[in-house]
Amino acid sequence: MLFVVAALDLIKNAQVQAIIGPKKSAEAEFVAHLGSRAHVPVLSYSATSPSITSTQTPYFVRTAAKDSLQATPVAAILAHFGWRAAVVLHEDSPYGTGILPALADALQSVDGAAIVDRVPVPSRADEDALDALLYRLKAMPTRVFVVHASHSLAAQLFRRASKAGMMSDGYAWVATDGVGNFVDRFDPEDLDSMQGVVSLQPYVQLTDAAKNFSARLMARSR
């Protein structure tokens, strides 16, 4: 929570006019409320938790896509392959749990598909904890898994799943953009463990409105 302490110091003592960051959704939610009370804009480029809204925090500006927007594409992937049931492995944090309601609704709207289990994965889980979790999942009849976690935790999870023989034929893994956005940060061993994983990545169509965004923002700021 060092960023929160720093933000509080900047607002109270430095009288900053705006704050850029922080990276994590949990930190952003707290800082957003601080900024709204002090009338200091908080611009976050990475906080994706859908629990942060402009109604509650009018001085919070999110430039990253909300995690809930990924729910429909995930459901579409499952529908394309005819997978009607999935287990969701999510990081045990505000970031990890934020997508669950939207994902359940999206799956329900696609031929009545469903989440058969929600498995929280501790953000600091060691290899033994991940092995125990995967052993339990391996005993379940469902072989379709949706992973919503930070790239570092997902890399650990996939490495252990590979060693457990759960990245072979008969298993299906779909990961949200917490993995897809950070492909360049994985080392070769991580990438080898992730062979066959389908992951999402946000895409912004380069329309005229997108091209003119900077000019329109500057004009409005004046």
Side-chain angles (χ1 to χ4, degrees):
M1 300 297 284
L2 292 177
F3 192 99
V4 175
V5 175
L8 186 60
D9 179 65
L10 289 171
I11 291 173
K12 292 180 63 176
N13 301 321
Q15 298 180 339
V16 294
Q17 295 182 322
I19 294 175
I20 298 177
K23 296 175 64 175
K24 297 182 179 180
S25 294
E27 294 174 341
E29 186 166 4
F30 190 82
V31 175
H33 286 288
L34 287 178
S36 292
R37 284 200 294 267
H39 294 185
V40 173
V42 176
L43 176 65
S44 176
Y45 52 87
S46 60
T48 57
S49 172
S51 62
I52 310 173
T53 65
S54 58
T55 303
Q56 298 171 326
T57 53
Y59 282 79
F60 176 72
V61 180
R62 187 207 317 269
T63 62
K66 293 190 297 185
D67 284 329
S68 56
L69 297 178
Q70 301 185 69
T72 299
V74 170
I77 293 172
L78 269 60
H80 176 77
F81 290 101
W83 299 326
R84 298 177 59 84
V87 174
V88 177
L89 288 79
H90 63 89
E91 184 174 314
D92 193 10
S93 66
Y95 162 73
T97 58
I99 197 176
L100 295 179
L103 187 56
D105 291 343
L107 288 175
Q108 184 62 38
S109 67
V110 180
D111 297 329
I115 298 173
V116 296
D117 199 1
R118 299 170 175 83
V119 180
V121 183
S123 56
R124 299 184 182 277
D126 58 18
E127 291 186 351
D128 290 339
L130 292 176
D131 288 345
L133 183 152
L134 291 167
Y135 180 80
R136 179 166 67 87
L137 294 177
K138 199 171 184 179
M140 297 177 63
T142 304
R143 292 290 184 266
V144 179
F145 304 103
V146 176
V147 177
H148 181 57
S150 64
H151 72 281
S152 56
L153 179 58
Q156 286 182 279
L157 178 67
F158 289 132
R159 282 199 300 269
R160 302 315 300 171
S162 180
K163 290 184 179 298
M166 296 177 68
M167 303 299 291
S168 56
D169 290 345
Y171 290 90
W173 295 85
V174 180
T176 58
D177 67 6
V179 173
N181 280 346
F182 298 94
V183 171
D184 59 335
R185 299 192 186 184
F186 293 115
D187 60 36
E189 182 183 355
D190 291 333
L191 293 175
D192 285 343
S193 299
M194 294 165 55
Q195 292 301 314
V197 176
V198 178
S199 186
L200 302 180
Q201 212 174 28
Y203 169 73
V204 177
Q205 188 174 0
L206 197 59
T207 62
D208 290 339
K211 293 177 183 177
N212 298 331
F213 174 76
S214 297
R216 290 186 288 112
L217 179 62
M218 291 180 64
R220 185 171 180 179
S221 297
R222 296 193 192 99

